[in-house]
Each structure stands twice: as C-alpha cells, then as structure tokens.
Amino acid sequence: MTEITISAARSQLGDLVRRAAHSRETIAITDHGHVAALLVSPQVIEDLEDALAVADYQRRKAEGTLGEGGIPHEEVGRMLGLRP
C-alpha cells in the first residue's frame, strides 16, 4: 500500500485515482501521520462484497438458517466465477 500526505495528494489526485483504478493499487492518504482515507479500485470493493456474500451464505448454510429462498442467482454466478 502506498501512503501519501493530503497536501501531496492534492497535486497528484488524477494520477493517484488512475493508479488505484487501473492497477488495483491501494493508496492511503494520510493526515498528520495517520491514514485518513483510502483510494481503491471499485473492483476491489466488488470482490470484497462477493467474498462477504459467499461467507455469509456458507455461515447460514452451516447454521441451517438459509431459509426457503436459497441463494440469489447473481450470487451463484459470482461463486462460480461466471461474473465479476
């Protein structure tokens, strides 16, 4: 993860956003030495959401609380790697 101060990020924002979007690099923007915000690719967030949905499904299945609805079609596609 790359760290950059807020003041340095101001002049490089366009480049930083492109780096995060295209290379899936996470960029931490710091304020007084502490991470204040992260620039991440939307794909990274989607991957995390998919992993969370699969983990939640597996937990509900193990607990026996899955219910009648089962798992949504979109979620099955993600689990099988058929959709992003």
Side-chain angles (χ1 to χ4, degrees):
M1 176 167 43
T2 301
E3 288 190 12
I4 187 167
T5 64
I6 289 175
S7 57
R10 279 188 186 106
S11 64
Q12 302 175 43
L13 186 59
D15 180 56
L16 295 171
V17 169
R18 283 186 286 282
R19 282 171 48 190
H22 298 296
S23 68
R24 300 182 82 175
E25 178 182 359
T26 299
I27 300 168
I29 300 176
T30 61
D31 186 21
H32 300 289
H34 295 86
V35 175
L38 298 173
L39 285 175
V40 296
S41 166
Q43 187 61 48
V44 169
I45 300 300
E46 289 174 13
D47 291 348
L48 289 171
E49 289 173 342
D50 289 346
L52 181 59
V54 170
D56 184 54
Y57 166 77
Q58 291 170 338
R59 178 190 55 80
R60 288 183 290 139
K61 184 177 177 184
E63 291 174 347
T65 59
L66 199 55
E68 302 237 353
I71 185 168
H73 180 62
E74 280 189 5
E75 200 169 319
V76 171
R78 287 186 194 113
M79 289 172 66
L80 297 174
L82 300 175
R83 59 173 255 126

